[in-house]
Amino acid sequence: MKKRAIVPILYIAFLMLPIYWLVAMSFKTTQEILGGFSLFPRVWTLASYRTIFTDPTWYWGYINSIVYVTVNTVISVTVALPAAYAFSRWRFLGDKQLFFWLLTNRMAPAAVFALPFFQLYSAVGLFDTHIAVALAHCLFNIPLAVWILEGFMGGVPKELDETAFVDGYSFPRFFVQVFLPTIKAGVGVAAFFCFMFSWVELLLAKTLTAVHAKPIAATMTKTASSAGYELGLLAAAGTLTIIPGAIVIWFVRNYIARGFALGRV
Amino acid sequence: MAKITLDRLRHSYTATPKGPADYALKQLNLDWQDGGAYALLGPSGCGKSTLLNIISGLLQPSEGRILFDGRDVTALPPDRRNIAQVFQFPVIYDTMTVFDNLAFPLRNRGVGEARVKARVEEIAAMLDVTEMLRTRAANLPADNKQKISMGRGLVRDDVNVIMFDEPLTVIDPHLKWKLRSKLKELHQRVKVTMIYVTHDQTEALTFADQVVVMQDGEVVQIGTPVDLFGRPAHTFVGHFIGSPGMNVLPAEVRDGAAWFNGMPVALEGAIAPGEGRHEIGVRPEFVSLAPAGIPATVRKVMDLGRHSVVEAVAGGTRVSAIVEGMAPGQGEAVHLAFRPDQTRLYRDGWIASERGRAA
Amino acid sequence: MRKVNQKGWFFVLPVLILVAFNALVPMMTVVNYSVQETFGNNQFFWHGLGWFQDILRSERFQAALGRQALFTLMILVIEVPLGVVIALSMPRAGIWVPVCLVTMALPLLIPWNVIGAMWNIFTLPDIGLLGYFMNHVLGLDYNMTQDPVAAWITVIVMDVWHWTSLVVLLCYAGLVSIPDAYYQAAKIDGASNWSVFRYIQLPKMKQVLTIAVLLRFMDSFNVYTEPFVLTGGGPGNATTLLSIDLVKIALGQFDLGPAAAMSLIYFAITLFVSWLFYTLMTRNDVK
C-alpha cells in the first residue's frame, strides 16, 4: 500500500466517526445514553426504530420528504432539459444574462426567502402541501440542473443534431430518441443533485409545512426540543435519513466527481 | 547519441501470460544504429506504442533487455536514459512562456542560465519559433505547440534518441507536410537517432531511412522504403504499403511451380522447399492486360487521372491492375499478365521464392 | 460557434416561469417591506431608506456580519487547501476509487439538521464520543454550550467535516481529466513532484477550484441549519451568523421592515462577491 494512501484513510476515518456515533446511539437505550459513556452499545435495542416504523407522525415524515423530493427532481430535470439545450446550442437575446441570473438564485440565502415564501405560498393556498416544497426547491435546483445539463450537453457535437435533422427527425423525436441517450449520464447527475439538495434542505421545507406535508427534518427538530431529548430516537431517525442518500450515491458513483464540476471537466 | 539494442524483448500486459496471444510484444531482437531515422509502422494494436514506451523507459518489459551503447538500461527510469518523447497531442506547460518551456528540461538538470539561454535560442532558431519565445505557450496553435514539444526534446545535448508517437495526429492536414519536412531537416542537422511511430505509410516512407513494419507484436520486415515497396518479405507488408496494396492470390505449388486458377504463373525465382499455405504476391503496378494470360472479368474501374485502377475477378479472386491509357469497361473479359520478376510466392505469409533465374 | 435562434426563449420559458415565481415575487415583497414601516393592522407607511440606514449602523448587524466574515474566511482557508491535498492523494484508478468517492460523498447527502443533531450528540461533554474524549481522556475543559471558543471550533470543524468533500470531489474531477502523457513528459523532463504540481496539476485544476471556492463562499456565507441546530447561535450570540440573526429577526420578532432591509443587504453582499468570482471563472471561457 502506497504511503500516500494514509491521507484518504485518515480523512475517511474522520468522516465515519460521527456517523458511527449516531448509528451506535440509535441502538442504545435512553438510560444507557444518559447514564454515562459507552463506546459500543452494552444493551442492543431496536426500540427507537420500532417507534419510528410504527408511529405515523414519524414514518409519515419520511414519506413526505421522499414525495416532495421526487416531485421536485422530476420537475427540475424536465424543465431544465429544453432550457439547457437552448443555452448550449443557440445564442439569443439576453442569454448570458439569463444564465447568470439563474446562478444568482443558487446564491440566495434561504433565510432571505423564509418569510416571503411563507406569505407567497399561503397566498396561493399551497401552504402545507408537498407541491409547495417541491416548487420552492425549484428556486435553486432548476439553476443547478440547467448548469449541469448544459455542461454535459457541451460535450455532444452539434453534428449529431444536424445529422438527425437531415435524416428527417422532427425535433421532439430527435430530442427523445437521439439526444437524451447521449447525455443520460448528465441526466442522472442532474437528478442526483436535485435529489440531494432537496433532501438536505430544512429551512424552507419547515417554513412551508405544518402538519400534512411535514418533512422528517421538521419532525426531528420537534423531538429534540419538546420530548426532552430522546436521544436514541433522534439518532435512529437521523440514521434512517442517511440511507436514501447512500443508495442514490451508489448509483451515480462514477459520475459524482464530474457532476460536482457541473459537467465542466 | 547511442546505438540501441533490443535483446530478447517480450512484453505482456497480464501478470501471468499463458500463450503467445497474451504477449503484446513477441520476441524482438533488434539493433538501431546510431543517428538513424527509423519509422515504426503498423496498424493500431500492433505493439508499436508498447515498444516505444519500453525504449523510453515509461514501461518495464516483462522479459528481455534494452541496451544503449552496450549498457543495460532496462532498469533505468526515463529521465536517466537521456531520451526525449513527443506525444500524439502537444504536451506543453500551459502557464509558462515558450522560452521557459524549452528551458525546463535544462533547468531541472541544473544547467547554468547562460548556457540555457544559448541553447534555447539555438533550438528556437532551428524550429522557427524565435519570435514566439516570450509568448505564453497556451496561446499557440497546435502545430507550433508540437514544435515546442519537439524542442524540449532537442534542447538537451546529451539526448540519445528522440521518439515520436504519432505526432501529427492533431495537426491540420495542410500543415502536416510542413512539420514532416521540418522533422527531416532537423534530423539532417542534429543527427540524433529518431524513432517515429505511425500507422500512416506516407509519413513513415517519407521520413525514415529504415522502416520497421510491425504486426501483432512482431517485426515483420525491416528495410528501406524502396525495399519494402519493391520486395515485401511478408504479405502484410505488401498489402499495407502502397496504394492500392499488393495483390495476394491463393496459389498451389505443383511440380516445383506455382499455379493460380489452374494456370501456371512465372515467379521471380526458385521456390524454397517447404510446406504451408501458399499465396502469390504481385503489385498492381506489375499486372497488365494482355492478349493472353489469366482470364478475368472486369468488375470495377477507378479513373485516377494519370492512370486507372482496374479491379478484375479471376475465378472468385479479386485482382487489381494499374492500367495507363484506355481502360476496359465494366464486365469486359480480359487476360491478366504478371511481370515474372515482380511476382513472388509466399508461404504462410512469409516470402518463399528466391530472387534469381526462374525455375 | 452557436447560431442565433430566438426560439431559444420558448425553451427557457418553463425554467424562467418557475424560477421567477420563486425569486421575483418574494423579492418584490421583500423590497416592498424594506421601504415601509408598519405599526400593525396592515397599515404601511413609506419609510424610504430608513431601515437600511438603521441596519447598516446597528451594532447587532455589524457584529453578525463580522462573525460571518470571519467564519467564511476560516472555512475557505481550511477547506480549500485541505480538499486539494486529499484530492491529490486519492487513487486515480482501481477498485478503491468508487469506495473513496462514495464514502467521501456521504456527508454531503445527510439532511442538514441531522448533521447539526449528529454533532450535537457527538460533542456532549460527558456522553458524546468527542465530548467524552476531550474532557475525560485529554483532560481538556470542553463544553460547547458554555464556552464560546469551544462553540466556534466545533461549528468550524463540523463545517469542515460536512463540506470539504465537495472540494475534494471537484478537485479530483479536474485531476483525473489530465492525460497520462503530461505526467510521462514531466518524468522525461526530469521534473520534481513540486514542479508537476505547480505546472501541470494546479493549472488544470484552476477551473474546478474556482467553482469550489465560489460554491463554498456562497454556501458558507449563507449557512443556517447546521450551526443553528448545533448551537442555536450560542452561547449567547457567539455563533450567531448572519442567517441565524436574520431568521431571528424575521420569523421571531416579525419586524418586517428591518428584516426585509437586512435580507436585501445580505443578498447584495453575496451577489457582489459571487459576481466577482463568476467573472474570474468565465473570463477565459471561449463559447
Side-chain angles (χ1 to χ4, degrees), chain B residues 58-237:
Chain B
L58 291 168
L59 193 58
Q60 285 290 313
S62 346
E63 291 168 42
R65 306 183 306 155
I66 307 176
L67 308 163
F68 281 16
D69 272 339
R71 254 176 52 241
D72 188 340
V73 297
T74 321
L76 279 185
D79 54 311
R80 302 264 299 284
R81 293 193 194 190
N82 291 329
I83 51 109
Q85 189 159 338
V86 179
F87 298 87
Q88 275 177 351
F89 51 87
V91 174
I92 51 159
Y93 302 104
D94 289 316
T95 52
M96 297 192 216
T97 60
V98 171
F99 186 96
D100 290 329
N101 256 279
L102 292 174
F104 193 59
L106 293 178
R107 288 182 178 147
N108 282 332
R109 284 168 172 78
V111 174
E113 268 311 296
R115 176 103 187 96
V116 169
K117 188 164 182 297
R119 198 72 187 131
V120 169
E121 283 170 0
E122 198 186 324
I123 299 299
M126 255 199 257
L127 293 168
D128 296 325
V129 295
T130 321
E131 324 85 63
M132 300 173 220
L133 278 177
R134 299 288 155 201
T135 326
R136 269 188 66 170
N139 299 334
L140 297 172
D143 57 318
N144 283 328
K145 280 188 184 173
Q146 266 302 38
K147 279 206 225 165
I148 312 293
S149 294
M150 291 183 207
R152 279 211 320 279
L154 293 166
V155 77
R156 290 151 43 205
D157 41 15
D158 58 349
V159 165
N160 285 322
V161 54
I162 306 183
M163 285 170 291
F164 299 87
D165 192 352
E166 312 210 38
L168 302 182
T169 311
V170 297
I171 310 293
D172 284 337
H174 67 281
L175 291 169
K176 276 199 217 229
W177 72 268
K178 254 180 131 181
L179 268 177
R180 270 212 304 267
S181 337
K182 178 58 76 179
L183 259 178
K184 194 86 178 134
E185 179 196 315
L186 284 171
H187 183 250
Q188 315 279 33
R189 283 177 69 169
V190 176
K191 287 270 174 270
V192 177
T193 314
M194 288 190 184
I195 304 178
Y196 189 106
V197 168
T198 180
H199 61 270
D200 183 318
Q201 49 169 309
T202 321
E203 282 178 19
L205 298 176
T206 48
F207 171 77
D209 305 323
Q210 291 265 322
V211 179
V212 178
V213 182
M214 288 183 71
Q215 193 207 20
D216 270 341
E218 283 187 283
V219 173
V220 166
Q221 184 169 2
I222 308 179
T224 65
V226 172
D227 288 341
L228 260 56
F229 185 84
R231 194 155 190 277
H234 193 283
T235 48
F236 171 72
V237 177

Side-chain angles (χ1 to χ4, degrees), chain B residues 14-25:
Chain B
T14 64
T16 48
K18 290 176 203 66
D22 286 335
Y23 281 93
L25 281 182

Side-chain angles (χ1 to χ4, degrees), chain C residues 213-229:
Chain C
V213 173
L214 180 64
L215 285 178
R216 282 318 299 136
F217 168 77
M218 289 183 339
D219 290 345
S220 74
F221 201 71
N222 302 337
V223 73
Y224 173 75
T225 313
E226 305 103 289
F228 181 69
V229 173

Side-chain angles (χ1 to χ4, degrees), chain B residues 286-334:
Chain B
F286 305 116
V287 176
S288 51
L289 304 177
I294 298 169
T297 320
V298 174
R299 194 172 156 271
K300 198 162 71 172
V301 177
M302 284 180 286
D303 185 347
L304 298 177
R306 272 179 301 139
H307 55 251
S308 314
V309 176
V310 174
E311 202 182 282
V313 180
T317 315
R318 287 200 219 147
V319 185
S320 296
I322 295 198
V323 171
E324 300 196 12
M326 278 296 295
Q330 193 178 23
E332 233 179 86
V334 294

